[in-house]
Amino acid sequence: MCSAHLSGKGVGPYASGAARTVSRVGFRDIADGLRRAIEAGEIGADRSLPSESELMDRHGVARMTVRRALSLLEDEGLIEVVPGRGRFVRAGDGVPDAVRVEKKYEQVVDEVRRLLASGEVPAGGRVGTAGEVADQFGVSPGTATRALVLLAAEGLVTPVHGQAWFAGDLGAEANRTAAVAGRLRAAIAQGRFPVGRRLPGELTLAEEHGVARVTVRRALAVLEAEGLIENRPGRGRHVLAATVSDE
C-alpha cells in the first residue's frame, strides 16, 4: 500500500477543491506536495509557505515530520527562511521571493512618483484604488497598498473614503470629498436619484454641498469606482444602482 494517496485537480492538497485522503504520510510526501505547489506557481511571491502547525493539521503528522520536509526543501535550495516572516520560495537568482516583493513595492513607489512628476496624474487627480494600482503594475493589492501608504507619508497622495487615492496632500479636502461622496451615496440609496437618472452637474452639486467643484469631481470619481454611477460622454453621470448594500 502506498504511503499517501492524493486525489483531485492540480497538485494535490494545494489545488483548489482538491479531495484528500492521507495514510501514513512521511516527510518526503509533504515535501513532494509542497514542491509541486511551488512548481505550479501556487506558492510564490507575496505568499509564505504554510506554517508548521498548518502542515501538521493538514497531514496529521508530528512537528518533527514537517520540519524534516521543510529542511529537505531548504537543502535543495528551493525555499529559504526569512527571519520574522516565515519560509518563502527562493527566487531564481538566489534571493527569496519575500525580498523580491520588497523590490516590487519600491518599484511601484518609483513608478507612481514618476506619474505624478510628469503630470500624467495631475494634482488632485485620481490615482486609483489599491486594486487598480496593483493591476496596473502587476503586483498584489497588499504590495500596492504599502507603496501608496509610503507615498501618502511623503504627502504625494491622499486616500479618500478609504478606497480611492488622489494625487497630492489634500488635507481637510479629503474629508470634504468623503463627506460629499457619502451624501450622494445616501441619496442614491434613498431613491432620490433612481436607476438611470442623470445626476446634477458638478457646479450645481458644488453649490448644493457648499464645496469647490473639484471636491465634487473627486467625490463623483469615488462613486464611479464603486460602480454606483457612470460617466456617459456628452450626457453626464447616470445612476447604475438604486440601493447601496452595507454587506
Side-chain angles (χ1 to χ4, degrees), residues 26-240:
F27 75 94
R28 292 186 186 280
D29 299 308
I30 297 172
D32 288 345
L34 288 168
R35 191 183 297 106
R36 287 193 296 269
I38 292 169
E39 291 172 353
E42 294 180 19
I43 305 176
D46 296 347
R47 285 188 56 193
S48 63
L49 270 69
S51 68
E52 292 181 2
S53 296
E54 290 173 333
L55 291 171
M56 288 167 59
D57 291 340
R58 181 177 296 170
H59 297 286
V61 297
R63 187 177 298 274
M64 183 57 67
T65 301
V66 169
R67 286 183 175 174
R68 291 183 67 188
L70 295 171
S71 294
L72 178 60
L73 297 180
E74 287 180 43
D75 291 342
E76 293 175 357
L78 194 58
I79 65 173
E80 182 171 7
V81 176
V82 178
R85 301 191 62 180
R87 294 177 174 87
F88 288 80
V89 177
R90 184 187 289 273
D93 59 359
V95 180
D97 278 354
V99 175
R100 190 165 59 181
V101 171
E102 295 293 334
K103 292 181 180 179
K104 287 183 178 179
Y105 138 80
E106 293 171 358
Q107 290 169 3
V108 173
V109 169
D110 290 340
E111 284 298 318
V112 175
R113 281 201 193 105
R114 182 188 64 77
L115 290 174
L116 298 176
S118 68
E120 291 182 52
V121 180
R126 186 175 182 277
V127 176
T129 65
E132 289 168 346
V133 172
D135 290 340
Q136 180 178 357
F137 296 107
V139 298
S140 72
T143 299
T145 298
R146 292 183 64 191
L148 290 167
V149 168
L150 177 61
L151 292 165
E154 297 177 3
L156 296 178
V157 298
T158 304
V160 173
H161 194 58
Q163 297 187 29
W165 295 74
F166 289 81
D169 185 356
L170 303 184
E173 188 63 25
N175 293 331
R176 285 191 285 270
T177 299
V180 173
R183 293 184 201 129
L184 291 173
R185 194 182 294 109
I188 292 172
Q190 294 163 6
R192 176 182 169 191
F193 301 119
V195 174
R197 170 78 176 274
R198 181 180 182 276
L199 291 176
E202 291 178 3
L203 185 58
T204 299
L205 289 172
E207 293 175 350
E208 178 181 340
H209 294 277
V211 297
R213 186 170 180 175
V214 67
T215 302
V216 169
R217 187 173 302 133
R218 294 191 190 104
L220 293 171
V222 170
L223 299 184
E224 286 180 37
E226 293 175 356
L228 293 181
I229 64 174
E230 70 174 356
N231 189 11
R232 300 174 182 174
R235 298 176 58 194
R237 296 177 176 87
H238 290 69
V239 177
L240 296 180

Side-chain angles (χ1 to χ4, degrees), residues 7-19 42:
S7 63
K9 300 178 181 178
V11 287
Y14 303 98
S16 175
E42 294 180 19

